Every structure is written in C-alpha cells, then in structure tokens.
Amino acid sequence: MTEQRGSAPQSATDETIAALAVRLRAADTGGWTSDATRAVVVRLGWGWSDSPTVATGRSTGDARLRPTGKYEERHVAGEAYVELAIPVRHAEPDAASQAEAFRLVKEELTAALGEASIMGVHGRLAPFARAVPGWGSPYLRWRGESDTLELRAGPTGPELVLQPTDPAENWFVRQGYDDELAITGFFGFRPDASNGGLTFPGGWRARSWEAMTRALAAFLTTLPAETTALRTPMWMPIYGRIEGKGAPILFDIDCGDRLMLASFADESVDPVSLGWGTAAEYPTTGRPWPDATCPRLRIDAGGPGEPSGQALAETIVATARAMGVESPEDLLIGSEAGDMGTYGVTFYGLGLPMA
C-alpha cells in the first residue's frame, strides 16, 4: 500500500467504533518498531508524519502515538512506541456526561468483542505517568499475547488505545513496592484464557490515618462516575479489629449510579458530629438498606461528580477511631467486595487487606 500523508479518506469518519476496534485488534504491530508502527498506521488508512499526531479523518479528532521516552524506556524491550490512542466519542466535560459516553462505547465494544479481559480504574497513576481526567479514570482491556486494546477515559471523552501488552503491565507491576499510596485505583480480571501469564503487583498497606484519609478521599470522589461508566456496581463492607470485640463490620459502601455509605456504629457514637445522617434524611439509602434502623447511620453522597470525597473520608476515619480502631492496619475490606460481576477485583488504591 502506498504511504499516505495528510488527511485520511472520508470513509474513516463514518467507521463505527466497533468496526475500528475489530481492525485494531487484527493489526499486525510487528513489535512496535518505528518501521512496523508506520506500516500499521498506513494499513489503517491514516496519515503518517514524523510527529506523534496521526491524521485519521475521524470527526472526533486525530490519533496520538506515544514514543518511548524516559518514563517508558525501563518497561520496554525494543518497542519504539507504547500506544496508539484514538479519540472515539466527545462528551461535555461534566462527570455525568463523560461517564455516560464511556458506558455507551463500552456497550458497543462488548457487543462486538465480548467481555473485556480486564476492568479497572487507574486512579491518579496511569501507565507512564500519564495525566488522567479529574472526573474519573476507568478502563477496560481486551488483552492479547502481544497487543492489548484498551478503552480508557481520555481528555475529551473515551479513547481506544492499541498498545503492546508487556510495557503497560510491566509498569503496573513495578509500582508494587510498599510505600504508602504507591498504587491507586483498582484492578479486576476475568478467569479467562486471555489473562494467562498475567502478573500482579504486591501492593502497599496504609499505616497512618493521614494516608488512609487521602486514599479514601481519592477513591470516593470519583467512584460513582466510574461504576456508572463501567456499568459495574460495587458493594464494599469494611471491618475493623477492636480490642475485646473481634473484627465487627463497621461500614458499608454501596455504589452504582449513586454513592451511599452506612455505618454500624453503636449508640455511643454521635452521628451529627461525625457527619452522618439517618434513613429519614437520606431516603434513597433504602435501596441497599431497606431496614431504616440497621444500619442506623447513612449518607447518600450523590451521583457522578457529586461526592465530597475528602469530607466522606474524614467521616469514615473519625468514626472508625471513635469506635476503637487504633490503626488503619486494623481495617479490612470484606472479601465480598472482590467480586464485581465476572471480575475478581483488588483495591490497590486503598492500602487495606481483604478480610
């Protein structure tokens, strides 16, 4: 095929997202050398130049190549590029619009490609120190042995990203040292043949209440936008070791299209001073907890873009301490939270072990 420069053919504009995804998955990337990557772009019918910008002719804008640089070089094995990112849908900048745009693309891709191999949230640490949108950072991956197709939250809307499999996964595993806040977000995988050989980082543990508050604040701020985008609700009980009481359940976090929290604190805890309300004040919490008296302390934190993560984190931490939890090392995530649909999930960003 003759190399093309400048604008891509008009037909590329009308190609569906699903059709584009199928072509990307079938692309022969040849190890992502400079010549092989140029050949991929040309075979896709797009314009090549010496800049990282790739002219696609799509109404959502040009694609971007990410060359191997100082943040990428320790994770590659000869690849000159670590991703080709294509914007596929624009949305208004608010969290609800962005989450809905991501959800729509997810549904189109799932119909064409089947369920993604991997589902998760990058948090503030996306591969190779890439900036993430403030509303949330959900992603889905259709993993292959050599290349992986990712749907991720981009600057203006969801993007399709073709990338060599090893560099992004090597980056993730290398974050698993034991410093507080070393990894953010959460990571879920399906027990599927496509995930053969998948390696997991070691994670970290919250040892200070300050770190616990920061981790919770980041997690809760964007959670309803991310569960809405992924169309995967989450239920997370949190237990706490208390001297003389074992490890009772302290909190429930329920999040689908809205983030709701509940506490099983006893009568000695003053709810108002710690920021809690009741079922009467938050009637929507009757969906996950129909008994208005158990749990008695409730918060409906809102939908995409609405939660005040810092205030919610401070409420949870203050309540745990008021109930007698001496250290964040005494908090545990209920194992039930690890099942999100067909995915087994690890909440790396919280720094808490599973019960």
Side-chain angles (χ1 to χ4, degrees):
M1 182 181 288
T2 304
E3 182 177 318
Q4 300 178 26
R5 292 181 180 271
S7 299
Q10 184 64 33
S11 60
T13 303
D14 302 323
E15 184 178 30
T16 67
I17 298 172
L20 172 61
V22 169
R23 288 209 298 145
L24 290 171
R25 288 203 81 191
D28 179 6
T29 57
W32 291 82
T33 63
S34 294
D35 289 344
T37 304
R38 177 189 294 248
V40 168
V41 169
V42 170
R43 284 195 296 270
L44 288 167
W46 296 343
W48 175 270
S49 69
D50 292 330
S51 76
T53 300
V54 175
T56 66
R58 295 182 64 86
S59 61
T60 46
D62 292 335
R64 305 180 312 277
L65 279 164
R66 178 156 184 158
T68 296
K70 66 177 182 178
Y71 295 116
E72 301 85 9
E73 57 188 10
R74 65 183 298 197
H75 309 292
V76 302
E79 293 92 348
Y81 297 91
V82 293
E83 68 177 39
L84 173 63
I86 307 105
V88 292
R89 191 180 185 102
H90 285 168
E92 294 299 315
D94 63 281
S97 298
Q98 289 290 328
E100 176 66 6
F102 188 103
R103 183 190 67 79
L104 290 171
V105 176
K106 176 208 168 172
E107 291 183 352
E108 184 174 348
L109 295 180
T110 301
L113 306 177
E115 291 288 336
S117 313
I118 291 167
M119 174 274 294
V121 166
H122 287 305
R124 63 180 177 81
L125 292 175
F128 315 122
R130 177 179 56 81
V132 298
W135 70 267
S137 52
Y139 67 93
L140 295 162
R141 287 180 181 165
W142 287 263
R143 185 176 185 261
E145 183 176 351
S146 300
D147 300 303
T148 290
L149 183 66
E150 177 172 305
L151 172 65
R152 74 182 184 201
T156 61
E159 299 180 334
L160 273 179
V161 184
L162 184 64
Q163 58 192 349
T165 297
D166 286 345
E169 294 185 358
N170 289 343
W171 178 91
F172 185 50
V173 171
R174 284 174 180 259
Q175 306 311 305
Y177 49 86
D178 197 32
D179 290 346
E180 288 186 322
L181 305 169
I183 310 179
T184 59
F186 58 83
F187 182 87
F189 73 101
R190 295 176 60 231
D192 184 84
S194 65
N195 283 323
L198 188 63
T199 304
F200 303 92
W204 60 280
R205 290 291 177 263
R207 298 186 179 90
S208 69
W209 289 116
E210 292 77 14
M212 184 77 265
T213 302
R214 286 179 60 193
L216 272 171
F219 177 70
L220 296 173
T221 295
T222 55
L223 187 59
E226 290 158 346
T227 53
T228 297
L230 294 166
R231 206 177 184 183
T232 307
M234 188 206 74
W235 172 55
M236 177 185 287
I238 297 179
Y239 299 83
R241 300 187 187 96
I242 300 173
E243 186 174 356
K245 297 182 180 181
I249 184 170
L250 305 183
F251 308 102
D252 259 352
I253 299 173
D254 185 277
C255 194
D257 59 340
R258 299 184 72 82
L259 172 61
M260 304 187 197
L261 294 82
S263 173
F264 295 85
D266 58 33
E267 296 292 337
S268 65
V269 173
D270 176 31
V272 175
S273 66
L274 296 174
W276 295 100
T278 64
E281 294 172 280
Y282 295 110
T284 51
T285 62
R287 287 190 296 175
W289 306 292
D291 184 343
T293 63
C294 184
R296 70 184 181 95
L297 306 184
R298 315 278 183 94
I299 297 174
D300 179 349
E306 295 179 350
S308 174
Q310 182 66 30
L312 295 170
E314 290 173 359
T315 290
I316 290 173
V317 167
T319 304
R321 300 182 74 173
M323 294 176 69
V325 179
E326 293 186 356
S327 164
E329 294 182 88
D330 293 319
L331 295 174
L332 307 97
I333 297 172
S335 59
E336 306 94 322
D339 295 324
M340 290 178 66
T342 59
Y343 297 91
V345 178
T346 300
F347 295 92
Y348 285 105
L350 289 179
L352 298 177
M354 282 284 193

